[in-house]
Amino acid sequence: MATNDLPRAFSGIQPSGEVHLGNYLGALRNWVSTQETADSIYCIVDLHALSVPREPGEIGRNTLSLAADLLAIGIDPEKSTLFVQSNVREHTELAWHLQCVAAFGELRRMTQFKDKSEDQSFISTALFTYPALQAADIVLYDSDIVPVGDDQRQHIEFTRDIVERFNKRFGDTLVVPQHRIPTAGARIRDLQNPEKKMSKSAESPQGVIFLSDTPAQIEKKMKRAVTDNDGEVRFDPENKPGVSNLLTILATCTDADPAVLAEQYTQYGPLKTDTAAALIAVLEPIWERRAQLDDQTTAEILRVGADKARAVAEPVMERVRDAVQLHR
Ligand code: AQP
């Protein structure tokens, strides 16, 4: 809980590539609305992005650009704290303490680890322990709520479990957070491979709508989106994942119900055209704001954000050190 009696919200995004529609509809849109009802802390989780092999400088370069995207989307530094994970050292210190109460078997059950390690020639230990660092990110700020997409549900439940275990072992020290997953748009699927979630690291960029895509690129990707052969427009995510994904995107962009929207269409073509148009209308003001942001202003916002974040994190970390009682 924040000192101003508002709940504390925390969430993060990796600078692992360009922001896509799944990130936006599943999480970032809610980051913006949460600013009005919670003391919100948003983090660019650059250390997480290092859990798969990267070139030197790659993540550093992506970080500033991602920060500008977040500001353009509507993260307001007057209302929220926006900062970079590696600028606050306490994240890794607390992660160690949480790894010490996390069971190997628990981590092995994480579906994100299974998905991301599949077919990889090098699997880092960091990819395996990723959820413990994520848990530290959250609880380092006494966070009450965590706005995320559905893919993070298991990680937040893991966070709750290990924080409860820590509190049981060392005394009531850390706040146990809750996820906040949207009812609509919580899992946006890849347009070419609707069995999978839309992801920065997708096999083909044709299945992913990036925030930086032009209207023409969006129209083309929507037109080519994989549907199915039965020709019926129906909201049925299990049996018709491609069509249901388009309905979800259209519904989320227009604040409508996807099943009700489905009744207005008899063919896939007009559904694709309307979905592209609705999306472009939502993204246009974001593109305009993004074009006005310069690197110097963005870097200064991150610097101030890191100072604000440290001021919250340091006393929480001190509480953890007191609870564990190592020699000082
Ligand atoms: N397809 C999605 N639908 C809904 N929400 C999504 N999120 C990600 N993909 C979808 C949400 O976006 C937030 C930031 O996620 P992230 O970038 O930190 O990590 P990720 O979930 O691993 O995203 P990607 O795009 O799949 O990245 P890569 O390919 O690098 O692993 C989270 O709240 C997430 O739920």
Side-chain angles (χ1 to χ4, degrees):
M1 177 73 77
T3 44
N4 52 12
D5 284 347
L6 287 175
R8 163 83 37 74
F10 178 94
S11 198
I13 180 166
Q14 298 185 69
S16 49
E18 284 194 52
V19 174
H20 57 74
L21 188 61
N23 298 136
Y24 178 60
L25 295 182
L28 305 178
R29 233 169 38 119
N30 289 342
W31 290 18
V32 175
S33 56
T34 301
Q35 295 180 118
E36 309 304 328
T37 53
D39 176 11
S40 303
I41 302 184
Y42 298 126
C43 183
I44 297 179
V45 288
D46 53 351
L47 297 175
H48 284 284
L50 292 176
S51 59
V52 297
R54 306 282 180 191
E55 295 302 320
E58 181 188 343
I59 295 305
R61 281 190 297 277
N62 289 353
T63 295
L64 204 56
S65 164
L66 173 56
D69 287 342
L70 295 174
L71 296 170
I73 283 168
I75 300 305
D76 179 350
E78 298 292 320
K79 294 180 184 162
S80 302
T81 299
L82 178 65
F83 77 105
V84 180
Q85 181 188 32
S86 62
N87 291 177
V88 180
R89 299 290 160 94
E90 284 76 7
H91 286 251
T92 46
E93 185 181 352
L94 182 54
W96 182 260
H97 288 282
L98 294 181
Q99 277 184 57
C100 293
V101 293
F104 181 80
E106 271 173 318
L107 285 166
R108 206 168 43 181
R109 283 197 294 277
M110 295 293 130
T111 53
Q112 182 170 295
F113 173 72
K114 289 183 197 161
D115 291 346
K116 291 198 172 179
S117 57
E118 215 173 46
D119 304 328
Q120 296 298 320
S121 55
F122 175 79
I123 302 164
S124 72
T125 315
L127 190 65
F128 186 67
T129 57
Y130 184 117
L133 177 58
Q134 184 176 346
D137 300 336
I138 297 166
V139 298
L140 190 54
Y141 297 93
D142 282 344
S143 311
D144 303 292
I145 50 173
V146 191
V148 283
D150 187 56
D151 60 322
Q152 295 301 322
R153 184 186 296 272
Q154 194 187 26
H155 283 178
I156 308 303
E157 282 163 7
F158 164 82
T159 298
R160 291 173 60 82
D161 289 345
I162 62 169
V163 169
E164 277 168 4
R165 197 171 303 142
F166 182 96
N167 284 345
K168 209 166 164 200
R169 195 170 294 174
F170 295 105
D172 217 359
T173 312
L174 296 167
V175 174
V176 183
Q178 281 183 342
H179 55 61
R180 183 172 287 178
I181 296 172
T183 43
R187 184 173 289 262
I188 301 297
R189 295 164 183 276
D190 187 290
L191 298 178
Q192 286 301 313
N193 189 357
E195 305 297 327
K196 290 198 165 176
K197 72 160 193 161
M198 193 176 279
S199 172
K200 297 190 204 89
S201 48
E203 270 163 41
S204 156
Q206 294 313 314
V208 184
I209 292 188
F210 295 105
L211 203 66
S212 60
D213 280 348
T214 61
Q217 284 171 316
I218 292 177
E219 282 160 3
K220 196 168 159 190
K221 287 180 182 180
M222 283 294 180
K223 206 178 243 175
R224 292 187 177 170
V226 168
T227 48
D228 51 47
N229 292 328
D230 79 13
E232 190 194 347
V233 180
R234 192 174 79 238
F235 186 65
D236 179 355
E238 201 171 316
N239 299 306
K240 293 173 72 70
V243 174
S244 302
N245 193 36
L246 295 175
L247 286 165
T248 299
I249 296 170
L250 179 58
T252 319
C253 290
T254 55
D255 282 328
D257 181 310
V260 174
L261 278 179
E263 292 165 13
Q264 298 169 19
Y265 293 91
T266 51
Q267 288 177 312
Y268 297 158
L271 170 63
K272 289 177 170 182
T273 310
D274 287 359
T275 305
L279 182 55
I280 291 166
V282 166
L283 296 180
E284 258 164 359
I286 297 177
W287 293 329
E288 275 168 29
R289 283 195 294 269
R290 181 70 173 81
Q292 285 160 13
L293 283 158
D294 63 86
D295 283 356
Q296 216 183 334
T297 311
T298 307
E300 180 58 14
I301 289 169
L302 291 178
R303 198 193 56 73
V304 172
D307 287 344
K308 281 163 67 183
R310 262 183 236 110
V312 182
E314 281 167 2
V316 177
M317 192 63 231
E318 199 52 25
R319 230 160 56 211
V320 172
R321 294 183 196 118
D322 284 346
V324 178
Q325 297 176 39
L326 294 175
H327 175 75
R328 293 224 234 178

